[in-house]
Amino acid sequence: MLSGMTKEGVERKVEKTSISLPAYLAAYARSKENTSAYVADLIAADQRRTNVHELLEQQGYVDRLAVTPAGCAAMGDRLAALEAARRRSSTRQAA
Amino acid sequence: MSHVRVVFDATALRAYLELAGVSAGELIATVYESGGFTGLPALVITSLWDTLDSEQRDRLKLLVDDPDSPVQILPLPVGNLLDVLALADRAGGDQGLAHAVHEACRHNAVLATVQQQPAGRLLDDYDILDLS
């Protein structure tokens, strides 16, 4: 990180860049309302995924304890089901 | 403001720190990948600290100190102290669980635990994710 610049400041700093994409992907990206924000969100999500998996590996979550995409997907489904049940309950209570 | 989607009680945090299974790690990763955070209430950490060995303490320090940490320590503001203590009375004196339940309600988050029964005295089933 640059001296005197906070992490938040680094995240807000914008840099114009040029990348090459297959034409069909470039067309899809341009179809989004804000192409730059769309691409930035995709990269940020990938960065979050990479960071958390590296941290978990560093913490000992490897081999039989490895956190896998399939395991996360199943956990995500469980969490989403609970959150949906909670929303239904709060809707019933509000009615 | 960052979104705390899940709050760990002491049993869930212990399971994570002991590498007792993969569920707690999967949950932390899943929440972080979705753009949220896992909350670790301060009283949960203090209630566990004396029982952790050096390896588990190091794991906790690395987890919370990482610049891109997927967890957030949730402090106990003075204004919430009496509410948490009242909850602890209903939780058999378990102040860590009381703080976890209080934070889960405050953030509209799900409580993650390895022992559903104690939390079940304070929350509905759909508020609790059982990691056992």
Side-chain angles (χ1 to χ4, degrees), chain B residues 1-45:
Chain B
M1 186 178 170
S2 52
H3 172 44
V4 174
R5 195 174 168 200
V6 167
V7 173
F8 272 18
D9 78 356
T11 65
L13 181 56
R14 176 181 293 287
Y16 177 83
L17 296 174
E18 286 181 344
L19 305 180
V22 72
S23 299
E26 283 175 343
L27 182 56
I28 287 175
T30 301
V31 168
Y32 192 64
E33 287 178 21
S34 76
F37 291 88
T38 296
L40 304 181
L43 294 190
V44 165
I45 294 173

Side-chain angles (χ1 to χ4, degrees), chain A residues 7-53:
Chain A
K7 184 183 175 198
E8 192 175 317
V10 170
E11 286 174 352
R12 284 184 182 169
K13 188 168 176 276
V14 175
E15 193 173 289
K16 199 168 178 68
T17 189
S18 174
I19 57 172
S20 298
L21 291 174
Y24 76 101
L25 290 180
Y28 183 76
R30 276 196 299 272
S31 74
K32 299 293 177 181
E33 192 175 331
N34 183 335
T35 303
S36 294
Y38 170 69
V39 173
D41 286 348
L42 287 178
I43 296 171
D46 186 59
Q47 186 184 39
R48 283 175 78 87
R49 189 163 43 246
T50 300
N51 288 346
V52 74
H53 284 274

Side-chain angles (χ1 to χ4, degrees), chain B:
Chain B
M1 186 178 170
S2 52
H3 172 44
V4 174
R5 195 174 168 200
V6 167
V7 173
F8 272 18
D9 78 356
T11 65
L13 181 56
R14 176 181 293 287
Y16 177 83
L17 296 174
E18 286 181 344
L19 305 180
V22 72
S23 299
E26 283 175 343
L27 182 56
I28 287 175
T30 301
V31 168
Y32 192 64
E33 287 178 21
S34 76
F37 291 88
T38 296
L40 304 181
L43 294 190
V44 165
I45 294 173
T46 57
S47 71
L48 271 185
W49 187 254
D50 276 353
T51 69
L52 300 177
D53 64 27
S54 61
E55 189 179 324
Q56 292 159 357
R57 288 183 177 191
D58 287 345
R59 193 169 287 125
L60 177 59
K61 287 178 197 167
L62 177 65
L63 179 66
V64 300
D65 284 345
D66 190 277
D68 296 304
S69 178
V71 304
Q72 289 185 354
I73 293 181
L74 305 175
L76 175 56
V78 172
N80 296 340
L81 178 61
L82 293 180
D83 288 342
V84 169
L85 292 176
L87 268 177
D89 285 341
R90 293 171 52 201
D94 187 337
Q95 295 178 2
L97 177 60
H99 192 199
V101 168
H102 193 271
E103 291 295 337
C105 294
R106 208 164 68 82
H107 291 277
N108 195 25
V110 167
L111 181 89
T113 184
V114 175
Q115 294 177 353
Q116 181 149 7
Q117 198 180 0
R121 289 200 292 264
L122 302 171
L123 294 170
D124 290 309
D125 286 349
Y126 49 71
D127 295 320
I128 302 169
L129 182 57
D130 187 353
L131 296 175
S132 62

